Amino acid sequence: MSENPKNTQVTLEKPEGFNEGKFPLMKRELGGVQPYIPLGPFHLRIPLIHHRWSWTECAAAMFLGVACLGAGTATTMSTFGLDEAANIAALGLTENGAFLMSLTFGILNAICYYLPSLLGDPVVPGWITPALPLTLNYLSAWALPDYAAGNVDRIYAMIALQMMVALFFLVMGATGIGRALVNIVPNAIKAGIVLGAGVTAAINVFSARMPAAPITVCIAVLMSYFFLFNPTFARAAKKNKWMNLIRNQGVVPAQVFAIVLAPFLIREIAVPQIQWGITPFSIGFVLEHFTIFGLGLPAASFYVSAIPMAFTVYIIAFSDFVLAKELVNEATAVRPDETVIFDAGRSNLVSFLRNGIMSVFAPWVPMCGPLWASGLLTITERYKRGYSTMNSYWDGVCTFRAATVIAVLILPLVTLIRPAFAIFFGITMGVQAFACGNVGMRMCTTANERGIACVMAGALAYYTPGWALLIGIVVWAVVEGSELFLGSKEAAA
């Protein structure tokens, strides 16, 4: 199925080579929506039939996707006590066996990562990252699991929390409240959220990534900036096919540097210990020891305790819906050959599915958020370069997460990248800092909007997202709220 919501009276300039390739088999009209199969509120797109396979996004996913999943798996296992020798032994595992078993969490989460783009949500999904410190603090109220003694209350607490978070996404998506909230947020607050995402990403780079491997992170981030944003290199790439090939790879050259050169030349990270084969899928073990199938449902008290925290997590995730919409709109504004629509209601429903699935089959401590801004930005920056670089928006987002599923199954790749997990996060956070600053500044159209956005960005860097959102609303109400009120009165008169 396809549709063309653009004004047919406007004559669009057809990009060179438009719809001339064999793939995808179903092609869109000029200025229209990429074809899809309608499934209620979802738009199903199948590789090669409804979008091309983008080898650049595939290469990026082989590194970035595995790094993200590896870090999330490590966080979950640490929270569940799987970095304790006694717990590992109690489960009948070795240290390497525990690592291999834990990758099942990553495989299941990778499959859930693919759901948004597969079902028509134009994002690269990720964790609910700003909520992670709050989640860890919440779970610390229960003792670290003791598998020998059968004390797994912390796992019950995590299952209940993620189920309640899924419920909030379902209610907001099914009722349309989520879509309405995103649409009514004032522009200044939206810009503040975008700028705040950039500022907090920059702080993460300087405070968490740089101290661990300062030279490697610095070189990798600067390489990313050069290939993505340097105008001189961009002009030269238009005249040289090899330079253009490198430029079109986005952050991949920086990733290759971190994996191949950094361990041997700079020696700030360990040399990889490669293991061969296909990543083992220990679903039976995970279901028995970490889910409701082996442990039973959590007691009602766990669900009651989780309600305030789940509401807080949703408020934090709400800013991702705002940011996602702005990033999609900003990227597609320069591509009249295609219409891409971000629907907050659909995004809420997909987030419900992801959190619901993980809470049942492999509870995931970082939880499943609507957006991984850094991952989406690496794709939208390429998309904005035109049809010849990326035929359709869906070529990028669909390929990226489909390739992530493939990548996490390749054990040599997972173990190759394992020492560079932190470096890859430094790269993505560095790109997010730069690109969000760029987008957020251009969203502001007045001096007052720039001021409000700056205050809110500062609040996001200092307070929890929930408090920062409240601060932004209060500042906006004091500075701009009276104009909205007077405008309504004048219209009524």
Side-chain angles (χ1 to χ4, degrees), residues 195-270:
L195 286 176
V199 171
T200 53
I203 291 173
N204 181 274
V205 173
F206 293 127
S207 64
R209 308 305 166 191
M210 290 284 285
I215 299 174
T216 305
V217 171
C218 185
I219 293 175
V221 170
L222 290 177
M223 283 179 65
S224 300
Y225 286 172
F226 182 80
F227 291 129
L228 284 172
F229 305 115
N230 185 280
T232 305
F233 183 72
R235 289 193 297 270
K238 291 181 179 179
K239 303 175 183 178
N240 185 292
K241 67 177 182 179
W242 295 110
M243 286 186 179
N244 190 56
L245 178 64
I246 294 173
R247 183 171 184 261
N248 282 341
Q249 303 315 305
V251 298
V252 173
Q255 296 169 341
V256 173
F257 161 77
I259 295 172
V260 177
L261 297 179
F264 301 99
L265 295 181
I266 303 174
R267 300 185 179 181
E268 288 181 328
I269 60 176

Side-chain angles (χ1 to χ4, degrees), residues 39 41-44 114-121 346 350 353:
L39 290 175
F42 305 117
H43 297 169
L44 177 67
Y114 184 34
L115 284 179
S117 57
L118 179 68
L119 297 177
D121 191 17
R346 178 167 55 228
V350 175
L353 288 175

Side-chain angles (χ1 to χ4, degrees), residues 176-379:
I177 295 174
R179 182 187 299 111
L181 284 174
V182 171
N183 290 335
I184 66 173
V185 173
N187 190 58
I189 294 178
K190 290 180 181 179
I193 290 172
V194 176
L195 286 176
V199 171
T200 53
I203 291 173
N204 181 274
V205 173
F206 293 127
S207 64
R209 308 305 166 191
M210 290 284 285
I215 299 174
T216 305
V217 171
C218 185
I219 293 175
V221 170
L222 290 177
M223 283 179 65
S224 300
Y225 286 172
F226 182 80
F227 291 129
L228 284 172
F229 305 115
N230 185 280
T232 305
F233 183 72
R235 289 193 297 270
K238 291 181 179 179
K239 303 175 183 178
N240 185 292
K241 67 177 182 179
W242 295 110
M243 286 186 179
N244 190 56
L245 178 64
I246 294 173
R247 183 171 184 261
N248 282 341
Q249 303 315 305
V251 298
V252 173
Q255 296 169 341
V256 173
F257 161 77
I259 295 172
V260 177
L261 297 179
F264 301 99
L265 295 181
I266 303 174
R267 300 185 179 181
E268 288 181 328
I269 60 176
V271 175
Q273 301 297 313
I274 307 297
Q275 299 182 48
W276 301 97
I278 302 297
T279 302
F281 195 55
S282 306
I283 186 64
F285 190 94
V286 170
L287 291 178
E288 179 183 356
H289 295 283
F290 302 99
T291 75
I292 61 174
F293 297 104
L295 303 178
L297 282 168
S301 59
F302 287 102
Y303 292 100
V304 174
S305 298
I307 292 174
M309 181 63 195
F311 178 72
T312 301
V313 170
Y314 182 81
I315 293 299
I316 292 170
F318 169 75
S319 63
D320 280 345
F321 292 120
V322 175
L323 177 55
K325 182 175 183 179
E326 295 307 317
L327 293 181
V328 172
N329 289 347
E330 197 266 345
T332 56
V334 298
R335 287 288 301 271
D337 60 285
E338 180 176 21
T339 295
V340 179
I341 300 170
F342 175 81
D343 185 329
R346 178 167 55 228
S347 192
N348 269 278
L349 291 174
V350 175
S351 296
F352 152 69
L353 288 175
R354 292 170 58 222
N355 281 287
I357 290 170
M358 291 303 292
S359 68
V360 171
F361 294 102
W364 185 250
V365 172
M367 287 186 282
C368 303
L371 176 69
W372 180 24
S374 303
L376 183 60
L377 283 163
T378 61
I379 293 170

Side-chain angles (χ1 to χ4, degrees), residues 54 56-58 60-61 64 117 122-125 228 248 250-251 327 331 335 372-385 389-390 392-401 431:
S54 172
T56 296
E57 270 61 50
C58 178
L64 283 175
S117 57
V123 299
V124 174
L228 284 172
N248 282 341
V251 298
L327 293 181
R335 287 288 301 271
W372 180 24
S374 303
L376 183 60
L377 283 163
T378 61
I379 293 170
T380 55
E381 285 301 317
R382 282 188 2 95
Y383 178 74
K384 288 187 288 187
R385 294 174 191 168
T389 298
M390 189 182 297
S392 168
Y393 186 97
W394 301 99
D395 296 355
V397 293
C398 289
T399 301
F400 187 88
R401 278 314 187 200
V431 171

